Structure formats: structure tokens, C-alpha cells
Amino acid sequence: MLTRAICFDVSGLTKVYGMGTAEVRALRGVDVTIGEGELIVLLGPSGSGKSTLLNILGGLDSPTDGTVFFHGENMTAMTDRQLTRFRRENIGFVFQNYNLMPGLTARENVELVTEIATDPLPADEALDLVGLGERVNHFPSELSGGEQQRVAIARAIAKRPAVLFCDEPTGALDSKTSIKVLGALNRVTKEMGTTMLMVTHHQGIAPLADRVLHFRDGRIEKEIVNSERAAPEDIRL
Amino acid sequence: MIRFAAMQMFRPLNRKLLRDIIGMWGQVIAVSLVVACGVAVFVMMNGTLASLQNTLAAYYDRYAMADVWAPARRAPLQTLDTLSKIEGVRSVEGRISAAGVLDMPLEAEPVKARIISVPDGKAPAINRLYMKAGQLPARGLEQVVVADDFAEAHRLRIGDKVSATLYGVRRELTVSGIALAPEFIYSIAPGEMIPNARRYAIMWMGYEALAHAYNMDGAFNEAVLLLGPTARVPDVLGRVDTILDSFGGVGAYHRDDQLSDEFLQSEFTTLGTLGGMLPPIFLGVAAFLLNMVITRIVEHEREQIGLMKAFGYTSNAIVWHYLRFAGVIVGLGVLAGCYMGYSMGGGMASIYQDFYKFPELKFAPGSLIYVKAAGFAVLAAVLGVLLAVRKTISLQPAVAMAPPAPTDYSKIGRIAANARWMDQGLRLIVRHIVRWPGRSAFTCLGVAMGMAIMIGAQSSRDAMNRMIDMQFELVSRQDLTVVFTEKQNPAVLHELAAIRGVLASEPFLAASATISYGHKSRHQGITGVMQNAQLNVLLDQTDRVVNPAPRGITLSASLADAIGADLGDTVHVRFREGERKEVSQLVQKIVPTYLGTPAYMDVSAMQEIMQEGDRISGAYLMVDTRWLDEIYSLLKDMPAVAAVSTNQTSRHSMKETMDETMGTMTFFNSVFASLIAIGVVFSGARISFYERQREIASLRVLGFTVAEVNAVLLGELAVLTFLALPLGAFIGYQLALTINTEMSSELFRVPTVVSNWSFAYAASMILIASILSAAVIAQQVKKLDLVIALKTRE
Ligand SMILES: Nc1ncnc2c1ncn2[C@@H]1O[C@H](COP(=O)(O)OP(=O)(O)O)[C@@H](O)[C@H]1O
Ligand SMILES: [Mg+2]
């Protein structure tokens, strides 16, 4: 772990939503360093600030205070345009509710990204990686939840992102399907050396990670380092 | 009580209502604006009409507007006694009505005047004068009261002198007063097509002085009658005609046939028709838009509706919620609309007051008009909402609550799958349009209607312009029209033709007559025109020149319509001047006309019937315009010439006149139509942004720039807008057709033309509105909070 190059360097990160009595402190000072190629699982009760951290690291939201460096570049100083470029070039997102374009087929959903990326995987190849080679011409409405989520993963990794953010990717899936989806995630990130941050409330997913960050009340309460990453087939959900 | 109210206030649905309104304020404002425009047009148009009618009725009443006019050649004053004894006649007054010519310093051409006598030493009891300044003429003096508009046009003041030629004698008349009269609210010189205060004067002179000038002592040539409430008009007219027959009576006529009133009534009909058509169309578009917005909000909130139903809210409670939402929109719209309508109506009233000569015209339509406007708006809203919520409300809660499956694109989806040249953005645009054909069609139709009402609003003006162009380019091709004081020997024509600069001349004969078919009749001048005329011609349907029938009579289609005669019928013609011949004439030809209800005969055939030899009433001249001024002054000095009018002036002032009233109304209407179009376009754009926030956010998260996302979102709007343009042009044309057909009155056959300018204007307004909406939406895409957009479930 110590040999890895630093991907994100986060210090003193706070995020306050609203003002006055409606004020919500989502993050109350988070310091963390994330190495390249690491798989981090974020655990913690609902409302503890996991998604907020993910959104800030992914450039979807800005912190109230503190700094985030991405490969030595200060993200907090970026303009909206720069953040868009940052997302476009480096970041993949997978959300709990897939967020596919209903009007595009599986392949076209992936192509949506490959068209604007610099050195993408061919769309079919990305779909092969998540085990959907056969269903490239199907529309989201013709796919199961797990399949839709795998399309979302294919779409997220097709541009070979440096970092992949997954916010409860299996939250809407049953355990068998979840394992399939996690398998797909694990395989592609390993193959491409992608850094991955995954929010989940499943304890069972923790063994997949290099490191597990436990959140409580907007802070990292504890941090557990796994000696090695378990295979998705071996975990129990 | 207070607590109850507070609880009411904070019931969850009330809170949702408040938040919806605040959250969708752009939408709320846009739809309110559209409603406001519909209401404003309603209030303005119908309010102007009501104000005009109320004012007219009050004016007629207070100033004793006559019911019957009975012109004669010369009747002794004692005849008035006989007339007053006719059953149903309340009172009678005899007067002298004479034609004169004035020489005004501000006008190069001789000015026509109608001079009417007033009783000496007292005010007339019928057709009373509204004295704006000064007083009635003093007994026996050559003093006149002049009509206000003429006084204004020639800057006349009390005490000023006017030189006039009365019955061939030049006299200096002194202005003793300035007045308005109910019978001359609208006045127009004989043979002219539009009022021109500079060129036509109405004057009142004391009876003694006028009788002296016209050698009418002890006689009158026009009786005016007031009728009692139970009088039977046809009977009275018949009796009057019989009594005056031996004194050269040329046919009494009722107020309905009196020029000023007839014109007003026809204007009212036009206003009423437009007022009956445009506001409902405008409000219809508002209802349509409201329906579109609410439908899509309801669809968007279908899960919440399911949830509310699951919690035990009744369908009615939910419908009521959306009705109140619409109610707020409509309420704002009605308030703003009534205010706008009131302001514009005030503007219209002052324009009409200038155009018509009312002592005072205020925009005071009465409160009922606002109530009606509000009623219609609410009706439109309720309709729009009920249609919108019907489907969703009837869903079972469980079904409504189930997270909507991703929209199924599979049926139509392969569309464009193989078009490799398309990028995903374009594919999204095409598929979204095709996947929601109803929604796309609705948006498209909405924009098209916005465009259509602009075209419709412009069309009456386009039509009027066209009529004027037709008249002067195709029909009246002469440069000058010369009217003689009395019918002249055709030798005068040679005199005219010999004037330097006159290139061509054509004679015409004009006589007033009554044309009747069955029991329908009209007072209508007949014009005798030449065969193979070149200057003033008749046209057929295809605007080709045709000759008048050499025998029999040629009617304008509008006149034929009015009296119900058709080709081959025999009409009865009674000339009201000269030998006052009565003849039956076969309708040999019917020609379309754009202005008035003219009737034509071959000039020689007409001379034969009238038995006044080969005399003519005037001539049309084509001149070399370089000599125009000289020709003018020459003509002005010719004793035989009563009036000279140039086509250029006529055409110009005709358009000017039209622009004053119709043009202003059209302008207001098209402003409102444009606002509606903007509202519709903006709402369409806004609602599709509202619906697709999540998709937009997804694209942004994937790294699409604001510009790229806009290309997808606005690209779709652009496609729909471009589809809407031809559709809007088509619907607009149909609308113009309907409006013009409705508006074609007896007097005006309104052609349906939509000028290129109107099309271009409507299309550019749509494009501008689209671009502005796009700019607003683009701002919102930029500001969209990605995290929140993705968190909220579709
Ligand atoms: N847009 C927002 N406005 C106000 N409060 C928010 C917003 N987003 C998140 N929060 C609050 O911030 C806290 C952290 O939220 P989040 O990071 O989503 O938690 P987690 O993902 O750990 O469940 C929560 O208390 C949540 O209510
Ligand atoms: Mg979360």
C-alpha cells in the first residue's frame, strides 16, 4: 500500500448544507489519502456523509472547507468547466439507480461515453467485460435491474477512468445479482488498475476492499486495512 | 376560527401547492401570461365594443338622433304638419341640406361641404348639436357652425372667415361655433371612400340665411323624424314617401340606412366578430397550454399521487389540489389580463374618439365584461385541468406508486440504430420525439398555435391592405377623379382632355337610386361606365378586366347578396334624381368587389334610361404627374368642377385611416398573440427541462459539458420548433380564412391574404421566443444541482 502513488489527497474536508437552524453538517473534517488502484469501501449508517464525500471527490459537489488534491492538482480551485473536463477524462460513476438513458440501447448508452472519451474501450468490449456481450442491442426497459446496473458499469469503465465511484451499486439488487455485479466491477477495475471508491451499507462487501473506511457523523470513525482483497464469489451477502 | 384557518394553511397539500408555485415560478408566470393575454384581448375588444355601443346609445338619446331622414327636392314648410300627423311619428323638423364648395387656404383642391340649416333663434330639436365652442348662427347672418374635425384640420376659430361658393355665388361665411352631431359621427364626402376632414366639411347655417342662398325660402328639402316606440318603420316610410312624392321626395330612409349609423354598425359588427373569435381562440390556446403543463406535471408526480391516495387522500382532494394550482395561475392571469385589457381598451377608446366624432368616449364597458372574461378563463382552466388529471387519478395507488419502468423504447427504438452518422445525442433527440409522439405533437401543436394566432391577428390588417391595393391598383387606375357640380355635356370631357399633361380621360355617370329585389331594397348609387374602359374598371374573380353588361345592370356580388338577387333575376331600379325614372333591369353580370356594394350600368344605356341626354357626372383622368399641380389649379378654377381627388391621396389616407383603428387593434392583438406564443414556447421548453432533469444530470455526471447537454435538450426543441413553423403557417392561414370569412360583412368582402410579412413576423417571433427560452433553459442546465437531480426519483 505504501508503494502506491497518491490519487486523492483529502484534508480537513467539511461540508455544510443549508444555513442557520436548517444547517446540516454532512462532513465534519475528513482527512484521507487514497492510493492509485486502491479499492476502498465506505461503510457507515445512513446520513453519515459517505455520498457527500463521493460527490465531492467526483466533482459533483464542492466542499465548504478543506482541500482535495487529485494527482497533485487542487480540485477545490477548479471552475465548473474544469470539473466537467475532470469528470469526462478521469471519473466513472455508478449509482444505485443505474441512471441509464432509456432512449438508448445498451451499446448506445456506452457509446454515449466512448464518443467523448480520448482513449476508450470499444463499447462492445466494455459490455463483454460485464458479461452482457449478448444484449448490446437491448433497451434498458428490456433488461433486468442487475443487467441495467452492469450496463451502467460498462458505461462507467468504458472510458478507462482513473477512478470509479460507486454509490450503493447493489442497493437495489438481490444478493445473487449483487455478487454478479460486484464480480463485474472487481474484474474490470483489476484489469485496468482503476482506483475505486464504493459506498455500501453491506458489511459483507467489506472483504473485497483494500481498505474499509467507517463513517459516523461526517467523520471517518475507523479505518481497516485488509491484507488482501477477497474474490466476490467468496463473500456472503 | 383563527386556529382552524392556521391549520388549513399548513395542511400538507397547501404546503405542496405553495412549493409547487414557488418551485415552478417560471412556468407559473409563463402560463399566467398566456391566460392574461387571452383575458386582455377579451376585455379590450369586447370592452371597446361595449363602450362604443353604450356611448353611441347615450349620445343618440341625449342629442335626439333622428329615426328617419326624408330628402325631397323642395317641399313647403306646411308639409311638416302633414308629416307630423303620421301614426308613430313623435316629432318632425324640416331643414335645408345643401352642397357647397369651399376654398380653404390650407388645401389646394376645392373642399366639398354639406351645409345644413338650423332653426333660427333656437337649437334644433332633432339631431341636436353638441356645441364644443361658440354658439349657433345669429338670425339672418351668414354665420356657420362648423364640424369639429374640419375646424381642427383647417385650424378654424370662432370669428374666422371661410369663403364658400353656395349655389354658384361666392360668400364669406363667419364661423360662429364648433360642434359635433350624432348624425355625423362618421362622415364621408359623396363619392369618397374614406373620411377626410381636410377635404369635406359639415356646416350648419341659420335657416333664413341658407334658404336665402339656395332660394329655398318657405321650403325644406329634408325632413328628419323622431318615431315613437310603437312606430312601424316600413309603414312610416311608405307614408312619408307618399306625402313627399309630389315635392320631389327621393325616398325616406331609416336610421339603419343612414350613412353614419350604418358605418358604425358595420364597424361594430366587425369588432363584434373579431371580439367573438379572437379571445376564445386566445383563451383556447391558454387552456391548451395549461392542459399541457398540468398533464406533464401530473405525469411527473404520478408516484406522489399514488402515495397520497395510499395515505387515504381522495381522488377529489387530489383533483382539487391541481385545480387550485391552476386556479392560482389563472387568478394571476385574470388580474393581469383585466388590467392590461383595461389599459389597452383606454387606448382604443381614445383612438376611436379621434376617428369617430363622439363628444366623449371613455373605456367603460361595465364590470360584467371582467366577470365574463374571468369566467371564460376559469372555464378554460377547469377544462384543461380535468382533462389532464383524469387518467392519472384513476390509477390504482399501487400502480401509480410503482417506480416507473424505464420508458420502453424497444417498439420504436431501433429507429436510427443503423444510421451510423448519428451520434448518441442526435439519437436521443430523434428517439425521444418518436417515443413520445403525443407529447412531441402537443409541443409542436402548441408552438404552431402560438404562431397561428399571430398570423390570425395580423390577417384582418393584411386583408384591409389588400383591399385597398386591389382598389387602387386594379380597379381605380386613374390618377385623378373629377366630379362636376352638375351633370355636364360630354364636350367638357374634351376640355379636360385638352389640358396639358392629361394623358387619358374617361367619363362616368353617377346617380343615386334605390335598387330592390322582392321586398329587399337598398339605396345605392349606380355608376355608368364605358365599355373597354382603361382607367376605372370592373374585375372578375381572377382579377381580369371585364366590361359592364351593355344592357341591364351589373351588380357587385356584395350587393347581389344583400338584396338576394342572382344572375338572370330582374331587379327594380328607382333613380332618386333627375327625371326619377323607374325601370326593371335584368341582372346581367355579377362582379366581385372588395369595397362597398356598387352597381354598374353601361354609360350610354344609363343615359338612355335617365333621359337627360348624354350628360356625364365626372371623369377619370390619367395625367403626367409632372403637371399635376398645374392641372389641379386649372381644374379648381373650372366652374363646372365640384371636386377633384387624387388617387394617391385617397389611397394614402385610406391606409392611414385603416391603420388608425383596425391597425391599432391589430397591433394590440398581435402583441398579445406574440406574448402568448412566447409563453407557449417557453412553457414547452421549461416543462421538458423539468421532466428531464435526471437525464440531464446523468449526462453531466458522465462528463458532458453544459453545451453538449443543451444540444440534446434544446436540439429536440429546435426540431419541434422547425416542424411547428410550417404547421403554424398552415393553421394560421386557416384561422385567417375563418376570421376573414366571418368578418366579410355586407360592405366589405374581405379577401384572405396573409402577407409574407405576417408569416415572416410570426415565424421570427417564434424563433426569437425559442432562442430566448433556450437561453433561459441553458442557464438552468448550468445551474442544475447534479446531486439533487440524481437523488430525486423520477
Ligand atoms: N442537498 C442536501 N441538502 C441538505 N442536506 C443534505 C443534502 N445532501 C445531503 N444532506 C445531508 O447530509 C448528510 C449526509 O448525507 P449523505 O452524504 O447523503 O449520507 P450517506 O450517503 O452517508 O447516507 C445527511 O444528514 C443528509 O441529510
Ligand atoms: Mg448515500
Side-chain angles (χ1 to χ4, degrees):
Chain A
M1 178 207 152
L2 292 172
T3 58
R4 294 179 200 271
I6 291 172
C7 179
F8 280 109
D9 192 353
V10 178
S11 54
L13 201 64
T14 64
K15 174 73 186 178
V16 182
Y17 287 113
M19 283 201 254
T21 49
E23 187 177 285
V24 176
R25 302 185 149 267
L27 294 177
R28 301 161 180 262
V30 170
D31 302 288
V32 69
T33 309
I34 292 157
E36 236 172 61
E38 250 193 307
L39 196 167
I40 308 257
V41 163
L42 289 78
L43 276 174
S46 158
S48 56
K50 309 180 294 290
S51 297
T52 304
L53 177 65
L54 225 60
N55 291 337
I56 292 173
L57 295 188
L60 298 182
D61 209 347
S62 52
T64 308
D65 209 350
T67 53
V68 179
F69 283 89
F70 175 72
H71 284 301
E73 210 178 322
N74 188 354
M75 278 180 60
T76 37
M78 285 187 189
T79 62
D80 196 51
R81 190 178 288 271
Q82 288 171 316
L83 283 175
T84 303
R85 215 181 50 236
F86 159 76
R87 281 202 301 276
R88 189 171 185 145
E89 288 168 0
N90 304 301
I91 306 296
F93 272 102
V94 176
F95 295 100
Q96 179 177 354
N97 34 29
Y98 332 133
N99 288 325
L100 297 180
M101 299 288 139
L104 298 178
T105 61
R107 180 197 278 130
E108 289 162 356
N109 258 288
V110 179
E111 282 170 346
L112 197 56
V113 168
T114 58
E115 266 169 13
I116 59 166
T118 33
D119 176 28
L121 283 177
D124 285 353
E125 202 173 302
L127 284 161
D128 265 341
L129 274 177
V130 296
L132 282 178
E134 312 284 273
R135 321 217 50 181
V136 291
N137 286 324
H138 287 70
F139 281 92
S141 61
E142 302 169 301
L143 298 171
S144 73
E147 287 166 337
Q148 286 184 55
Q149 190 60 300
R150 281 185 284 155
V151 175
I153 293 168
R155 185 176 69 177
I157 53 105
K159 62 172 152 185
R160 303 179 202 271
V163 190
L164 184 60
F165 293 105
C166 305
D167 198 339
E168 309 208 20
T170 61
L173 304 173
D174 61 75
S175 54
K176 218 170 112 198
T177 316
S178 296
I179 287 173
K180 248 191 201 161
V181 166
L182 291 170
L185 272 174
N186 198 44
R187 182 148 27 85
V188 295
T189 49
K190 212 164 208 173
E191 238 159 72
M192 301 195 291
T194 316
T195 309
M196 176 154 82
L197 277 84
M198 177 153 62
V199 169
T200 180
H201 52 259
H202 264 305
Q203 273 310 136
I205 291 177
L208 294 181
D210 290 307
R211 237 183 334 156
V212 182
L213 305 178
H214 286 266
F215 270 73
R216 182 171 294 276
D217 291 336
R219 288 198 186 85
I220 298 175
E221 184 191 38
K222 68 178 173 184
E223 181 181 323
I224 291 168
V225 181
N226 292 334
S227 52
E228 62 176 46
R229 283 157 67 160
E233 306 83 69
D234 299 338
I235 61 169
R236 288 185 53 83
L237 294 177
Chain B
M1 203 56 208
I2 287 165
R3 252 187 82 182
F4 178 72
M7 271 163 62
Q8 286 279 321
M9 261 313 264
F10 293 103
R11 276 169 52 185
L13 275 183
N14 288 346
R15 255 175 276 156
K16 176 171 168 357
L17 182 66
L18 201 64
R19 282 194 194 128
D20 282 353
I21 288 162
I22 293 166
M24 288 189 266
W25 66 270
Q27 197 69 57
V28 169
I29 301 273
V31 183
S32 297
L33 179 74
V34 171
V35 173
C37 291
V39 169
V41 169
F42 183 93
V43 169
M44 174 186 80
M45 299 198 76
N46 294 309
T48 302
L49 178 58
S51 307
L52 280 168
Q53 284 172 324
N54 295 345
T55 307
L56 184 71
Y59 189 24
Y60 278 2
D61 190 49
R62 283 189 57 189
Y63 288 85
M65 170 75 163
D67 292 306
V68 171
W69 283 253
R73 210 178 314 158
R74 181 197 177 98
L77 288 174
Q78 300 88 287
T79 322
L80 293 172
D81 268 350
T82 327
L83 287 175
S84 69
K85 297 211 174 84
I86 297 173
E87 195 188 322
V89 172
R90 199 144 51 102
S91 56
V92 182
E93 231 169 44
R95 60 190 196 177
I96 300 162
S97 168
V101 179
L102 310 179
D103 188 0
M104 302 301 296
L106 292 181
E107 192 65 30
E109 303 171 44
V111 171
K112 297 174 205 174
R114 162 83 16 204
I115 306 145
I116 288 168
S117 70
V118 290
D120 283 309
K122 63 174 187 195
I126 302 176
N127 293 334
R128 292 171 48 204
L129 300 185
Y130 171 87
M131 296 300 299
K132 258 191 100 166
Q135 53 215 5
L136 290 168
R139 180 177 210 121
L141 293 182
E142 293 196 326
Q143 291 187 339
V144 285
V145 169
V146 297
D148 180 46
D149 60 335
F150 182 76
E152 201 173 300
H154 288 275
R155 298 190 209 120
L156 291 178
R157 299 228 211 104
I158 311 292
D160 284 356
K161 298 250 189 274
V162 176
S163 49
T165 308
L166 307 184
Y167 212 49
V169 178
R170 207 173 166 89
R171 291 168 195 272
E172 293 290 305
L173 309 176
T174 308
V175 175
S176 73
I178 293 169
L180 298 167
E183 61 181 325
F184 297 112
I185 294 172
Y186 175 84
S187 61
I188 187 167
E192 295 286 333
M193 275 182 290
I194 42 135
N196 184 345
R198 290 175 65 94
R199 304 279 319 277
Y200 185 53
I202 305 283
M203 299 182 157
W204 293 267
M205 214 169 154
Y207 175 83
E208 208 180 286
L210 193 61
H212 180 70
Y214 281 83
N215 200 12
M216 287 284 283
D217 300 288
F220 68 92
N221 67 1
E222 185 172 61
V224 285
L225 288 76
L226 277 183
L227 303 185
T230 55
R232 297 194 35 189
V233 175
D235 293 354
V236 173
L237 294 183
R239 294 279 296 121
V240 172
D241 282 353
T242 320
I243 294 166
L244 291 181
D245 198 50
S246 47
F247 305 110
V250 290
Y253 55 94
H254 184 244
R255 192 193 281 176
D256 291 346
D257 284 322
Q258 196 257 349
L259 181 83
S260 170
D261 190 72
E262 187 179 21
F263 189 90
L264 282 167
Q265 298 304 339
S266 120
E267 178 89 4
F268 291 176
T269 310
T270 306
L271 264 180
T273 312
L274 274 181
M277 288 193 69
L278 283 183
I281 293 171
F282 281 29
L283 282 173
V285 173
F288 177 89
L289 181 62
L290 200 62
N291 175 266
M292 175 175 104
V293 169
I294 302 275
T295 303
R296 287 164 74 164
I297 290 173
V298 167
E299 258 169 39
H300 196 75
E301 296 184 344
R302 132 200 162 111
E303 241 181 288
Q304 300 180 36
I305 292 173
L307 206 63
M308 289 194 281
K309 286 185 79 172
F311 289 160
Y313 281 92
T314 61
S315 294
N316 283 345
I318 296 164
V319 173
W320 180 231
H321 168 72
Y322 288 105
L323 275 177
R324 285 192 306 165
F325 181 63
V328 171
I329 295 178
V330 170
L332 288 174
V334 167
L335 283 182
C338 285
Y339 180 73
M340 292 196 294
Y342 174 80
S343 318
M344 306 287 158
M348 282 315 300
S350 62
I351 286 162
Y352 273 107
Q353 174 163 14
D354 274 354
F355 184 69
Y356 295 125
K357 297 127 207 171
F358 284 110
E360 189 180 38
L361 179 61
K362 276 220 175 78
F363 185 76
S367 51
L368 191 64
I369 207 121
Y370 302 105
V371 175
K372 270 195 202 158
F376 285 130
V378 168
L379 197 73
V382 168
L383 214 68
V385 172
L386 289 187
L387 287 176
V389 295
R390 199 185 37 171
K391 204 170 113 210
T392 306
I393 287 303
S394 56
L395 281 181
Q396 288 300 316
V399 180
M401 261 190 330
T407 310
D408 186 0
Y409 281 87
S410 60
K411 303 271 174 349
I412 53 87
R414 316 290 166 214
I415 282 176
N418 295 321
R420 293 312 304 178
W421 54 270
M422 278 195 184
D423 65 5
Q424 306 312 331
L426 196 52
R427 224 163 250 144
L428 275 175
I429 292 174
V430 172
R431 292 217 182 113
H432 195 263
I433 290 174
V434 182
R435 176 56 190 88
W436 299 101
R439 192 177 287 184
S440 308
F442 227 59
T443 307
C444 197
L445 191 62
V447 175
M449 301 222 295
M451 182 168 162
I453 55 176
M454 286 191 278
I455 294 172
Q458 294 275 356
S459 73
S460 32
R461 187 159 182 244
D462 283 346
M464 291 290 181
N465 262 319
R466 179 71 197 284
M467 293 194 319
I468 295 169
D469 288 342
M470 293 283 297
Q471 184 66 37
F472 289 99
E473 269 158 30
L474 301 176
V475 180
S476 308
R477 305 167 180 192
Q478 74 274 18
D479 296 309
L480 292 174
T481 305
V482 179
V483 181
F484 302 142
T485 42
E486 280 175 280
K487 295 201 182 80
Q488 298 289 319
N489 192 286
V492 181
L493 202 60
H494 299 302
E495 242 176 85
L496 295 178
I499 296 173
R500 185 161 56 170
V502 173
L503 304 176
S505 63
E506 261 170 30
F508 67 86
L509 179 61
S512 63
T514 306
I515 303 173
S516 47
Y517 180 68
H519 56 272
K520 287 192 183 170
S521 74
R522 283 188 67 89
H523 294 303
Q524 173 62 52
I526 299 179
T527 311
V529 289
M530 273 181 26
Q531 296 290 326
N532 302 316
Q534 304 283 323
L535 299 183
N536 201 296
V537 299
L538 311 185
L539 299 175
D540 68 4
Q541 268 85 358
T542 55
D543 292 348
R544 268 200 322 246
V545 175
V546 293
N547 278 317
R551 300 268 131 210
I553 192 165
T554 301
L555 300 182
S556 55
S558 42
L559 178 60
D561 246 23
I563 59 172
D566 213 337
L567 217 56
D569 290 336
T570 302
V571 296
H572 186 76
V573 177
R574 192 158 65 107
F575 284 103
R576 294 163 63 192
E577 55 187 72
E579 298 295 313
R580 300 175 60 237
K581 294 291 173 190
E582 287 186 35
V583 284
S584 291
Q585 291 281 294
L586 196 63
V587 180
Q588 293 275 22
K589 241 179 216 179
I590 293 183
V591 293
T593 44
Y594 289 105
L595 293 175
T597 55
Y600 304 95
M601 282 183 174
D602 175 82
V603 65
S604 356
M606 188 165 157
Q607 283 164 340
E608 221 167 276
I609 292 166
M610 293 188 74
Q611 295 187 356
E612 294 180 329
D614 53 0
R615 296 198 301 157
I616 55 173
S617 313
Y620 305 118
L621 303 182
M622 190 166 81
V623 304
D624 183 333
T625 43
R626 282 174 301 177
W627 299 103
L628 197 63
D629 286 344
E630 284 178 37
I631 297 171
Y632 246 162
S633 46
L634 264 174
L635 288 173
K636 208 181 158 187
D637 286 343
M638 284 173 73
V641 172
V644 184
S645 56
T646 71
N647 259 17
Q648 222 186 347
T649 341
S650 309
R651 182 179 188 162
H652 182 74
S653 47
M654 198 150 179
K655 289 205 168 171
E656 219 170 46
T657 307
M658 190 204 75
D659 263 352
E660 241 174 85
T661 53
M662 194 59 123
T664 311
M665 188 71 92
T666 305
F667 172 76
F668 286 147
N669 282 339
S670 75
V671 166
F672 289 133
S674 310
L675 286 176
I676 287 181
I678 292 170
V680 170
V681 170
F682 177 74
S683 292
R686 187 58 238 242
I687 194 92
S688 76
F689 169 76
Y690 176 69
E691 283 168 350
R692 300 180 75 182
Q693 284 183 27
R694 189 183 182 78
E695 232 176 296
I696 295 163
S698 293
L699 287 172
R700 292 279 289 124
V701 168
L702 290 174
F704 279 75
T705 60
V706 171
E708 285 163 338
V709 172
N710 281 333
V712 174
L713 182 70
L714 303 175
E716 183 182 330
L717 282 172
V719 169
L720 293 178
T721 304
F722 278 112
L723 289 177
L725 292 181
L727 184 65
F730 175 77
I731 301 177
Y733 188 82
Q734 296 305 315
L735 192 59
L737 196 69
T738 319
I739 291 173
N740 290 340
T741 311
E742 277 295 313
M743 258 183 31
S744 287
S745 62
E746 206 181 309
L747 290 178
F748 297 104
R749 173 115 328 171
V750 184
T752 298
V753 277
V754 176
S755 64
N756 291 338
W757 191 86
S758 294
F759 278 129
Y761 170 81
S764 358
M765 281 313 289
I766 292 290
L767 290 179
I768 290 169
S770 305
I771 290 166
L772 291 181
S773 309
V776 173
I777 301 297
Q779 269 307 306
Q780 285 175 321
V781 168
K782 199 168 166 187
K783 283 193 304 196
L784 183 68
D785 188 320
L786 303 182
V787 179
I788 291 175
L790 286 174
K791 225 187 270 175
T792 40
R793 272 238 256 145
E794 213 154 58

